[in-house]
């Protein structure tokens, strides 16, 4: 499972990084089960909020109003959860926090389609084709790259690609946790990189525009402001993710001793027939979706702007479309390969998919309470503003200041999730400050996005982190040590180190060469 348990080499023969990761894993796995862990996190938040509230801890900063874009001085104090209001919040918000959790509906709906595709044998047959057609040395970069590209499709990568990564790696006789790590690194660690514009780009651009107008009322940060930088970053993260997976993470995990997926044999006639029917079903579905988005007045375009991407109905329904992309071809494959003989078999696949989600639902409920308590207490806002004040007082200028902001964003992300929520706090502080030093808002935004991406994969506050831990726990070896939060953090930490370091180097080189960040977006004003 991990070198900390499986490796026979003497500890002195390990490198400093491996020994450090062993300590992280042992310490993390000495902690309770993730469900109990998040219960303790919630209890700790309650106690800490009460203590800091009694001490009168507060911060004052210029907050941007989402609706008007106006900047207003705002004082935020730590809210105690042990007051009458706090207790009422915990009781009345418990169900709302659970049902409103970003991962809940996404993962349940997506698993309906995946469950039928899996029970019918479609996923196994497709993986067999992949194994037979893909060189083993290319599977890691393909998986990392697919993870990076998947973040344009909302949260689909977390609920589909990450668990699929384990199955793909097992199909190649490799460790399933390495597959989870590679996919998770691409989806979340490479969140800001992509070859296309996603929904995050216009969201951050709008916040940056309002912050820039504090000094220049006519300034506009477009959705493509960082496109060139993020385009190149896609290949950087793919290369780094591949290196970390193949040279650090998988060797450290060692030989997987659990039940392995059978190695791929030649395709059977039934499988070929099923895949042929699945292909036609997928093409018909794709044509239907295209008819709903390509015409100028198509129903899945934005009714006001006509946009396909961004906050359009198409992007909002991407999980439903993805579910159909597994469900319909899965059914077609089943009837073709004779693994489905009646509608009852489809129902069995749906029920089986939901029955496997029990532990995930419990983790979502408990972690949702913790996140809601943390948000109510204002602990995240106080940490973010305090960090911004500290950076302002350091006295750095130029590129060192920009690199310091990258690091601050990375550290802040450990305590406060959500790219837009942090940027709403940090943009009004740093964009005017950088503009006065001659740097464009687009440059400041790039620095923020680098830091915001790289620590997603090691913070339990990230929405999908406990769910990834649940996926990983499925590959716990019989009679072996448990897979806990420590396993996941130690497994993902090398990606954070290499992504942050590699991105900072690229950022510095880009700055020194004064390259454009996107169409019409320079580094200097």
């Amino acid at each position: 499972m991990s070198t900390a348990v499986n490796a026979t080499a003497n500890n002195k023969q390990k490198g400093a990084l491996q020994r450090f990761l062993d300590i992280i894993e042992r310490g993390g796995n000495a902690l309770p089960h993730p469900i109990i862990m998040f219960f303790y996190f919630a209890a700790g938040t309650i106690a800490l909020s009460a203590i800091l509230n009694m001490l009168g801890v507060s911060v004052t900063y210029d907050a941007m109003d989402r609706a008007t874009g106006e900047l207003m001085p705002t004082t935020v104090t730590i809210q105690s959860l042990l007051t009458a209001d706090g207790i009422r919040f915990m009781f009345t918000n418990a169900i709302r926090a659970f049902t409103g959790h970003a991962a809940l509906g996404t993962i349940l709906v997506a698993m309906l389609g995946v469950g039928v595709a899996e029970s019918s044998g479609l996923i196994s047959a497709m993986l067999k084709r992949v194994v037979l057609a893909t060189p083993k040395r290319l599977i890691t970069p393909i998986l990392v790259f697919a993870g990076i590209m998947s973040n344009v499709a909302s949260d689909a990568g977390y609920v589909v690609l990450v668990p699929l990564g384990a199955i793909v790696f097992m199909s190649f006789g490799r460790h399933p946790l390495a597959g989870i790590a590679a996919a998770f690194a691409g989806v979340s660690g490479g969140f800001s990189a992509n070859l296309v514009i996603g929904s995050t780009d216009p969201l951050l651009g709008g916040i940056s525009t309002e912050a820039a107008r504090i000094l220049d009322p006519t300034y506009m940060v477009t959705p493509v402001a960082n496109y060139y930088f993020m385009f190149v970053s896609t290949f950087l993260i793919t290369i780094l993710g591949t290196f970390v997976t193949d040279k650090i993470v998988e060797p450290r995990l060692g030989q997987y001793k659990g039940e392995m997926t059978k190695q791929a044999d030649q395709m059977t006639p039934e499988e070929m027939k099923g895949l042929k029917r699945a292909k036609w079903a997928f093409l018909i579905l794709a044509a239907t979706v295209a008819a709903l988005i390509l015409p100028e007045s198509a129903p899945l375009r934005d009714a006001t702007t006509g946009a396909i991407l961004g906050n359009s109905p198409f992007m909002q329904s991407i999980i439903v479309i993805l579910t159909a992309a597994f469900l319909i071809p899965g059914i077609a494959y089943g009837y073709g390969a004779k693994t489905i003989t009646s509608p009852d078999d489809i129902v069995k696949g749906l029920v089986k998919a939901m029955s496997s989600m029990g532990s995930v639902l419990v983790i979502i409920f408990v972690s949702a309470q913790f996140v809601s308590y943390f948000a109510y207490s204002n602990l995240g806002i106080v940490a973010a503003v305090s960090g911004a004040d500290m950076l302002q007082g350091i006295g750095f200028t130029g590129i060192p200041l920009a690199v310091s902001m990258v690091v601050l964003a990375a550290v802040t992300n450990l305590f406060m999730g959500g790219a837009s929520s942090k940027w709403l706090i940090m943009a009004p502080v740093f964009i005017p400050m950088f503009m006065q030093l001659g740097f464009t808002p687009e440059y400041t935004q790039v620095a923020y996005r680098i830091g915001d991406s790289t620590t997603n994969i090691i913070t339990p506050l990230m929405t999908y982190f406990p769910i990834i831990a649940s996926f990983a726990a499925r590959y716990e070896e019989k009679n072996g040590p448990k897979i806990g939060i420590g396993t996941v953090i130690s497994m993902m930490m090398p990606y954070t180190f290499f992504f942050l370091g590699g991105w900072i180097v690229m950022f510095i080189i880009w700055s020194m060469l004064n390259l454009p960040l996107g169409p019409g977006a320079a580094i200097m004003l």
Side-chain angles (χ1 to χ4, degrees):
M1 182 168 313
S2 65
T3 301
V5 176
N6 294 330
T8 57
N10 188 285
N11 205 38
K12 293 181 180 180
Q13 294 177 304
K14 299 178 183 179
L17 176 60
Q18 296 289 7
R19 292 197 299 272
F20 171 72
L21 295 177
D22 286 348
I23 294 171
I24 294 295
E25 180 175 1
R26 285 195 299 268
N29 286 346
L31 298 171
H33 187 282
I35 293 174
I36 304 300
M37 179 74 136
F38 278 100
F39 174 81
Y40 289 156
F41 281 167
T45 300
I46 294 171
L48 184 62
S49 70
I51 293 170
L52 296 182
N53 176 263
M54 285 191 297
L55 294 175
V57 174
S58 66
V59 293
T60 300
Y61 67 103
D62 290 331
M64 185 187 302
D65 186 273
R66 281 180 181 264
T68 64
E70 294 181 0
L71 207 62
M72 301 181 63
T74 302
T75 298
V76 173
T77 61
I78 297 295
Q79 298 294 313
S80 172
L81 285 153
L82 291 181
T83 61
D85 286 341
I87 292 171
R88 277 192 290 269
F89 170 82
M90 289 188 286
F91 275 84
T92 61
N93 192 62
I95 294 176
R96 185 162 53 249
F98 174 57
T99 57
H101 193 281
L104 181 62
T106 297
I107 195 168
L108 291 180
V109 172
M111 287 306 296
L112 289 173
V114 173
V116 172
E118 186 174 18
S119 64
S120 70
L122 172 60
I123 290 179
S124 297
M126 291 177 62
L127 289 173
K128 185 183 288 189
R129 286 293 297 269
V130 169
V131 171
L132 293 172
T134 307
K136 187 175 181 179
R137 59 187 173 82
L138 293 182
I139 197 63
T140 305
I142 288 174
L143 186 59
V144 176
F145 178 77
I148 296 170
M149 293 302 297
S150 74
N151 61 48
V152 74
S154 185
D155 300 328
Y158 293 107
V159 299
V160 176
L161 192 64
V162 173
L164 197 61
I167 301 173
V168 170
F169 264 49
M170 279 205 299
S171 299
F172 280 81
R174 300 178 63 180
H175 203 297
L177 291 187
I180 287 177
F184 187 29
V187 173
S188 196
F191 179 73
S192 284
N194 214 294
L195 301 184
V196 298
I197 299 300
S199 58
T200 303
D201 296 277
L203 178 61
L204 296 182
I207 297 172
S208 298
T209 294
E210 298 301 332
R213 287 179 176 176
I214 295 172
L215 295 183
D216 183 351
T218 64
Y219 206 97
M220 172 71 72
V221 179
T222 69
V224 295
N226 301 150
Y227 180 67
Y228 297 157
F229 188 88
M230 294 308 165
F231 185 97
V232 176
S233 295
T234 303
F235 301 100
L236 173 71
I237 298 302
T238 299
I239 293 169
L240 293 175
T242 300
F243 173 81
V244 172
T245 302
D246 293 347
K247 301 300 182 182
I248 299 176
V249 172
E250 193 166 16
R252 182 173 183 276
L253 289 169
Q255 181 73 31
Y256 182 62
K257 297 179 181 179
E259 183 179 350
M260 291 288 285
T261 301
K262 183 181 177 183
Q263 294 296 297
D265 299 317
Q266 293 300 313
M267 303 293 296
T268 65
E270 291 79 9
E271 288 173 330
M272 293 300 294
K273 183 177 180 180
L275 284 176
K276 185 175 181 180
R277 289 198 177 185
K279 179 184 72 174
W280 282 109
F282 178 80
L283 290 175
I284 292 171
L285 174 65
T288 302
V289 173
L292 294 173
I293 61 174
L294 293 182
E296 188 173 342
S297 58
L300 292 186
R301 284 177 176 264
D302 188 287
T304 304
T305 66
I308 296 175
L309 300 178
N311 196 34
S312 67
F314 170 66
M315 294 305 298
Q316 293 177 26
S317 59
I318 196 73
I319 295 297
V320 175
I321 295 171
L322 184 67
T323 300
F326 279 93
L327 178 66
I328 295 173
I331 295 172
Y333 174 88
Y335 278 109
K338 300 193 181 332
T339 55
I340 293 177
T341 57
S342 72
D344 288 345
D345 294 328
I346 301 173
V347 173
K348 289 177 182 177
L350 293 169
V351 172
K352 183 180 179 181
M354 290 297 98
S355 65
S356 67
M357 291 290 102
S359 63
V360 174
L361 292 177
V362 178
I363 288 177
I364 289 176
F365 177 80
V366 179
S367 64
Q369 306 312 310
F370 161 59
V371 172
S372 70
Y373 296 173
F374 200 81
Y376 177 89
S377 68
N378 291 327
L379 287 168
I381 294 177
V382 170
V385 174
S386 298
D389 290 342
M390 179 194 69
L391 184 55
Q392 280 186 299
I394 288 177
F396 284 160
T397 59
I399 294 177
L401 175 63
V403 172
S404 298
M405 183 181 171
V406 172
V407 176
L408 174 65
V411 173
T412 303
N413 193 46
L414 294 172
F415 306 100
M416 186 179 182
S420 61
S421 56
K422 289 193 299 294
W423 194 225
L424 277 166
I425 294 173
M426 298 175 72
V429 176
F430 290 107
I431 283 183
M433 181 172 73
F434 274 57
M435 289 177 73
Q436 289 175 330
L437 294 173
F439 292 116
T440 64
E442 292 87 347
Y443 182 70
T444 314
Q445 182 176 283
V446 161
Y448 169 74
R449 296 181 71 173
I450 292 172
D452 180 63
S453 292
T454 52
T455 50
N456 280 333
I457 48 181
I458 60 171
T459 173
L461 277 174
M462 202 275 288
T463 302
Y464 285 93
F465 188 90
I467 298 171
I468 303 303
S470 178
F471 287 148
R474 296 179 181 179
Y475 299 96
E476 209 166 80
E477 296 170 2
K478 187 177 181 180
N479 300 323
K482 69 175 183 177
I483 295 178
I485 287 180
T487 305
V488 179
I489 292 177
S490 66
M491 187 170 67
M492 301 310 301
M493 194 165 285
Y495 294 101
T496 292
F497 290 156
F498 277 83
F499 285 4
L500 184 59
W503 238 333
I504 286 177
V505 170
M506 175 179 160
F507 180 66
I508 292 173
I509 294 173
W510 203 286
S511 302
M512 293 176 68
L513 295 177
N514 198 25
L515 299 174
L517 299 166
I523 290 177
M524 305 301 296
L525 288 170

